[in-house]
Amino acid sequence: MRADVYALDAAVRLEGPLLFLKRTIRCGLNEAVEIEDDAGRIRLGRIAALDHDTVTVEVLESTAGLALSDTRVRFLGAPLEFAVGPDMLGRVFDGVGRVIDGGPPVSAARTLRIDGQAINPAARDVPREFIETGVSTIDLMNSLVRGQKLPIFSGSGLPHDQLAIQIAQHARLLKAEQGEFAIVFVAIGVPYDTAERFRLAMESSGALEHTVLFLNLASDSSTQRLLSPRYALTAAEYLAFVEGKHVLVLMTDMTNYCEALREVSASHGEVPSRKGFPGYMYSDLATLYERAGRIKDVSGSVTQVPILTMPSDDITHPIPDLTGYITEGQIVLDRELDRVDVYPPVKVLPSLSRLMKDSTGEGYTHVDHPALANQLYAAYARAVHMRVLASVVGREGLSEIDRLFLDFGARFEQELVQQPAARTLDESMEVGWRLLRMLPNAELHRLSDRQIADHIDTTGDA
Amino acid sequence: MNRILTVGLALVVCASLTTPVMAQDAPELEDPNTGRGMMERTLLVANTSNMPVAAREASIYTAVTVGEYFRDQGMRVALMADSTSRWAEALREVSGRLGELPGEGGYPAYLSSRQADFYERAAHVRTLGGELASLSIIGAVSPPSADFSEPVTNHTKRYVRCFWALDAVRAQARFYPAIHPLQSYSEDIEVLSQFWSQHGNPQWTEQRRRFLGLLEEQARLERMARIVGKDALPPRQQQVLLCAELINEAFLRQSAFSPLDRFCSPERQIAMMQTLVQFIDLCEAALAQQVDMAEVAALPLLRRLRRMGEDIGDQRLDDFDALRREMETAFLQLARAGAADAG
């Protein structure tokens, strides 16, 4: 039996999501509390700050209707924990890990701290296995690797959710010893329809049975929003490192998370840093993103694809900027491509996957994959440069070869970036070689003679 | 103007403030000088970004202290701190928590003196045992949105003698290493010129100046070509563009994927540099004989020049001589054909 430690009538002030108590009980930072009001309704909370006289509690639900008198605060003496088990697959949870699909509670195999624990860098394994997503601009140009964290930088109104759904449905490993895939989807402050669309898409493709959904909707409290990715990642870590699955975590939308962080920080009265965001946002985001990875001698992995909408498409905004610091690359979506109906509208040049070099090429994908990606990048960069020139001097002012590159750029966007359906890596590579055939061999400096003989000169047509 | 070069280092101390994967890369690297694992002479100080922030601030001092310890044993130590921006970010965070008055960009006012304290620990010394030893510091700065005017970059430039600016445009075209030759600088050119003389290239300073001059002119011409169009440029300027492009593609670009090209010995660098200088000479001579630059640009030889880094390894330096002879023949034929046409 556990002692019931509570404080009655200790509340002195209530302000937004924060409840201030007289410090009458010994407690530690970040411990969980339960707040029981006079009607017996229980709300979850967390100790956010301590000083000599007061305890500041972050209430993880709406504080409307809470009074100072008759409010009982129960101290659990432990950080927030999440009861996880293999039955989580196929279930829907709210932002603080409570079942909301009407089904029975999940039988707990373990109880884990939602903050997780930093993985010892020496125990980490290098992510190497290529994940095929079916998207050419990702597979061919910016490969996703098991254990990687690769964010999608998007803007409001761009089809990032659609892209995320597509990745979730098609993601597979190239090698035969595939292992089991699981998907953890966490909606952070998104509107109901986005969450519902994702659930329906997973249901209709039959993928729901290996998916765990966490829904923190736009109407939920912002303190809760800070915890929903942590609950989701705890579930992902359990599935990966205990159950041995390969877990793909999709988090949408990290911008809402950062806005919530700013809101809560402001209500604590902290000194704001860039654009009003708290100075510790970098460290805070890192505690989420760094939970991706692989561990030596453990079969599972956690791969993260966080999605964020850049406020007014500004990639220098603190949210994409700090995210880019921590993650291993980024996929950038482009409004101009979206306007001309190119789907997925991936802006290839600023997109990057830092782990690509370790997971492509001989022994991983195709031996000529890195060279092809390199050559396509070089040629497309030149095409974009020519486009700038052509906008001033006109097409006629360019040399014949430059005009060829201009055409290459247009076809690259229409045939490789644009894709009506998912492609396998081999199909994507074939499109890449086909596009390069329209350029003279002398311009393909990034390919060796053998590669040109094998792939460019095979059909002979330009 | 140097291809990146590591010379006779006894040990590499790394303060890795980055994501864990970057830290994982190091143990697998192979030492190009000995062929053994890089990790055998490397020490990693790792603080990933989800570890406590105060430890992140301290990690850079831990690393430099270890570096000094090995230096005092007579070794030549290179310390790579990746990245000092994240270290400064930690400094800012701690300072914010302490409630200190923020200075420029929210960083504490003492940021620049802390940076100076760190960089000034780099030194070339004679140890008590009488040996010559050194500690070199390479700091990676990753300014938000590649803005080189922000405080960390600015203060760093005040205390260092050599600056390699990575360029977003080059990086996006997967041009590796993406060091921008015009924005980067080194204040040690004179010292290095002696180094190159000893390795058999006494003309290094002039060659470097010539390359940089061409690249500078290329940048200017590219701006002009935006207005008048490339075809409208006179032959002399087309020749500059061709040569500058070749310097970029054949000399400055290195393929990290190619086992031959991921490392470049001083001898190979010299051979490549001299091959290019000869090409530029021949090109200028051809220009004087009124050979059409489009014909030069169409030479099949150019593809081999552009790929010489990837195709010709350190073991086959003679191939550069062969390449140079072929170059001479090719230009001779061009000149003859031109003369025949004129005749």
Side-chain angles (χ1 to χ4, degrees):
Chain A
M1 213 189 107
R2 202 172 63 184
D4 188 12
V5 182
Y6 65 87
L8 187 64
D9 282 337
V12 288
R13 192 151 62 95
L14 191 57
E15 209 178 278
L18 300 182
L19 175 67
F20 298 84
L21 309 173
K22 281 188 299 238
R23 203 166 74 113
T24 53
I25 286 175
R26 276 180 60 167
C27 56
L29 200 64
N30 224 1
E31 280 179 9
V33 298
E34 282 175 0
I35 301 131
E36 191 180 331
D37 65 9
D38 50 0
R41 184 181 156 200
I42 291 177
R43 295 173 172 86
L44 204 59
R46 176 173 84 99
I47 297 173
L50 281 172
D51 65 25
H52 215 265
D53 314 308
T54 49
V55 177
T56 311
V57 172
E58 240 172 52
V59 186
L60 301 175
E61 280 157 75
S62 160
T63 47
L66 204 63
L68 291 182
S69 57
D70 289 336
T71 294
R72 192 187 291 251
V73 180
R74 185 168 292 115
F75 291 82
L76 301 181
L80 282 170
E81 286 175 336
F82 185 25
V84 289
D87 299 348
M88 282 188 304
L89 290 170
R91 304 299 300 272
V92 185
F93 298 85
D94 73 352
V96 286
R98 288 176 298 208
V99 173
I100 51 167
D101 56 5
V106 170
S107 54
R110 282 189 194 206
T111 311
L112 297 174
R113 291 178 51 174
I114 64 156
D115 288 320
Q117 284 185 323
I119 306 173
N120 179 354
R124 282 184 187 257
D125 207 355
V126 186
R128 285 211 183 277
E129 295 100 330
F130 173 87
I131 299 178
E132 190 180 88
T133 62
V135 182
S136 296
T137 36
I138 297 179
D139 291 348
L140 180 59
M141 313 284 288
N142 299 287
S143 310
L144 177 66
V145 185
R146 204 199 255 175
Q148 187 177 15
K149 36 194 182 292
L150 188 66
I152 298 177
F153 287 5
S154 181
S156 39
L158 293 179
H160 44 265
D161 293 321
Q162 203 180 336
L163 184 61
I165 291 170
Q166 199 180 341
I167 293 174
Q169 285 174 342
H170 291 282
R172 68 181 187 104
L173 298 160
L174 278 189
K175 297 277 170 62
E177 75 297 355
Q178 189 155 339
E180 268 188 89
F181 236 94
I183 289 162
V184 172
F185 175 83
V186 49
I188 308 167
V190 300
Y192 178 74
D193 60 295
T194 309
E196 192 60 13
R197 189 165 74 173
F198 192 86
R199 194 181 65 78
L200 285 177
M202 295 317 277
E203 208 170 60
S204 64
S205 67
L208 194 63
E209 62 188 37
H210 58 255
T211 304
V212 191
L213 284 167
F214 288 84
L215 304 182
N216 168 277
L217 301 180
S219 51
D220 290 332
S221 82
S222 40
T223 39
Q224 204 182 90
R225 197 156 301 153
L226 297 182
L227 296 181
S228 31
R230 296 191 160 81
Y231 275 94
L233 286 166
T234 309
E237 280 169 352
Y238 167 76
L239 290 173
F241 303 132
V242 179
E243 299 278 322
K245 293 185 194 310
H246 299 293
V247 188
L248 180 65
V249 185
L250 297 166
M251 307 199 274
T252 181
D253 169 336
M254 288 308 290
T255 304
N256 295 338
Y257 175 87
C258 295
E259 294 287 348
L261 196 68
R262 174 161 70 174
E263 186 182 331
V264 173
S265 157
S267 65
H268 283 298
E270 290 166 348
V271 184
S273 180
R274 266 201 290 168
K275 295 216 172 173
F277 290 98
Y280 54 80
M281 190 159 86
Y282 172 76
S283 300
D284 192 274
L285 285 174
T287 59
L288 298 180
Y289 296 142
E290 293 286 22
R291 290 173 78 172
R294 299 191 48 201
I295 299 180
K296 279 181 190 149
D297 306 323
V298 177
S299 60
S301 64
V302 176
T303 311
Q304 284 185 16
V305 179
I307 298 167
L308 55 91
T309 46
M310 299 180 280
S312 50
D313 293 349
D314 176 13
I315 201 168
T316 68
H317 188 279
I319 299 173
D321 193 44
L322 294 180
T323 299
Y325 259 177
I326 308 164
T327 54
E328 291 133 356
Q330 68 269 338
I331 303 291
V332 184
L333 300 192
D334 184 27
R335 203 167 288 280
E336 275 175 39
L337 286 177
D338 186 51
R339 271 194 212 118
V340 292
D341 277 341
V342 171
Y343 175 83
V346 176
K347 196 173 188 175
V348 171
L349 290 186
S351 298
L352 171 74
S353 165
R354 288 185 213 278
L355 301 187
M356 183 174 174
K357 60 176 175 20
D358 293 327
S359 64
T360 54
E362 196 161 10
Y364 301 106
T365 55
H366 191 283
V367 61
D368 295 328
H369 180 179
L372 172 63
N374 243 329
Q375 179 62 62
L376 283 170
Y377 257 108
Y380 183 60
R382 181 153 167 200
V384 169
H385 181 66
M386 286 309 143
R387 217 174 268 175
V388 178
L389 281 187
S391 66
V392 185
V393 298
R395 213 183 141 80
E396 298 70 35
L398 299 176
S399 69
E400 197 178 326
I401 286 185
D402 291 346
R403 279 200 294 271
L404 263 180
F405 271 96
L406 210 55
D407 295 338
F408 170 83
R411 275 186 62 184
F412 179 85
E413 283 166 8
Q414 286 304 325
E415 293 173 33
L416 192 129
V417 180
Q418 161 88 302
Q419 56 181 105
R423 290 190 192 120
T424 64
L425 177 67
D426 288 336
E427 285 165 356
S428 299
M429 285 186 69
E430 192 38 56
V431 178
W433 294 122
R434 192 178 73 217
L435 288 173
L436 288 180
R437 276 179 212 132
M438 66 183 285
L439 297 173
N441 287 358
E443 296 296 327
L444 305 176
H445 322 146
R446 307 277 175 104
L447 300 179
S448 70
D449 293 338
R450 181 194 59 76
Q451 285 158 344
I452 288 187
D454 283 0
H455 302 288
I456 303 292
D457 287 342
T458 43
T459 54
D461 59 354
Chain B
M1 225 47 214
N2 299 305
R3 302 195 107 202
I4 299 177
L5 181 74
T6 46
V7 202
L9 302 175
L11 182 109
V12 183
V13 180
C14 265
S16 179
L17 311 170
T18 61
T19 54
V21 172
M22 295 186 199
Q24 283 158 5
D25 282 346
E28 306 208 344
L29 292 178
E30 188 183 280
D31 184 347
N33 289 316
T34 60
R36 286 158 63 183
M38 198 68 152
M39 204 54 200
E40 287 178 29
R41 54 189 186 102
T42 304
L43 185 139
L44 270 172
V45 179
N47 175 278
T48 57
S49 38
N50 58 342
M51 292 177 173
V53 62
R56 195 176 324 146
E57 191 194 333
S59 59
I60 209 166
Y61 302 116
T62 312
V64 76
T65 307
V66 174
E68 284 169 345
Y69 168 75
F70 285 117
R71 178 203 66 192
D72 289 344
Q73 303 195 349
M75 297 194 205
R76 311 218 163 185
V77 184
L79 184 147
M80 172 85 201
D82 181 12
S83 94
T84 53
S85 293
R86 280 177 275 244
W87 167 76
E89 190 95 34
L91 207 65
R92 174 161 72 181
E93 196 175 319
V94 173
S95 153
R97 297 262 195 206
L98 290 173
E100 292 169 345
L101 270 187
E104 192 185 355
Y107 292 103
Y110 49 77
L111 171 72
S112 73
S113 44
R114 287 282 168 88
Q115 278 184 298
D117 287 347
F118 169 66
Y119 282 109
E120 281 299 286
R121 288 171 80 167
H124 190 243
V125 299
R126 187 175 291 281
T127 61
L128 290 175
E131 290 154 306
L132 277 176
S134 65
L135 171 65
S136 319
I137 296 182
I138 305 169
V141 190
S142 40
S145 54
D147 167 22
F148 284 175
S149 64
E150 57 91 49
V152 183
T153 320
N154 254 333
H155 293 311
T156 303
K157 281 167 108 173
R158 285 167 57 200
Y159 307 121
V160 298
R161 295 182 57 81
C162 175
F163 176 68
W164 296 326
L166 298 192
D167 177 35
V169 177
R170 279 168 190 252
Q172 290 184 355
R174 300 302 186 261
F175 184 105
Y176 175 88
I179 297 175
H180 195 292
L182 299 178
Q183 284 171 19
S184 310
Y185 60 78
S186 166
E187 295 175 29
D188 293 313
I189 296 304
E190 277 172 41
V191 185
L192 286 173
S193 127
Q194 285 168 23
F195 167 87
W196 287 108
S197 288
Q198 284 160 11
H199 279 79
N201 188 8
Q203 287 102 34
W204 182 75
T205 321
E206 297 120 66
Q207 290 176 349
R208 170 181 177 275
R209 180 89 333 261
R210 195 156 170 203
F211 280 14
L212 276 180
L214 279 167
L215 291 169
E216 185 95 53
E217 205 171 338
Q218 179 201 30
R220 195 175 57 79
L221 288 176
E222 293 262 327
R223 279 197 298 273
M224 206 158 81
R226 258 184 214 196
I227 303 165
V228 299
K230 238 180 198 169
D231 273 1
L233 296 177
R236 152 100 192 95
Q237 297 184 337
Q238 289 189 11
Q239 177 250 331
V240 168
L241 287 180
L242 177 70
C243 292
E245 191 257 347
L246 206 61
I247 293 171
N248 273 319
E249 279 293 325
F251 186 67
L252 296 182
R253 187 172 70 80
Q254 223 170 323
S255 173
F257 292 112
S258 149
L260 293 180
D261 201 26
R262 63 199 171 114
F263 174 77
C264 188
S265 68
E267 287 72 26
R268 192 156 77 101
Q269 252 183 83
I270 291 169
M272 290 171 77
M273 217 164 166
Q274 280 168 345
T275 310
L276 280 179
V277 168
Q278 190 179 2
F279 177 85
I280 298 168
D281 284 340
L282 287 170
C283 216
E284 279 172 0
L287 186 74
Q289 292 168 336
Q290 320 214 315
V291 173
D292 188 359
M293 273 303 129
E295 279 178 42
V296 178
L299 281 178
L301 193 78
L302 279 183
R303 179 180 151 77
R304 289 180 48 207
L305 273 176
R306 288 195 181 104
R307 289 188 52 82
M308 66 183 174
E310 267 173 80
D311 292 342
I312 308 178
D314 275 301
Q315 318 304 328
R316 291 166 36 212
L317 290 183
D318 293 344
D319 287 12
F320 283 106
D321 294 332
L323 190 62
R324 288 169 69 169
R325 279 194 297 278
E326 277 180 56
M327 223 157 61
E328 278 171 30
T329 330
F331 271 95
L332 209 60
Q333 277 167 356
L334 273 187
R336 277 205 198 117
D341 282 351

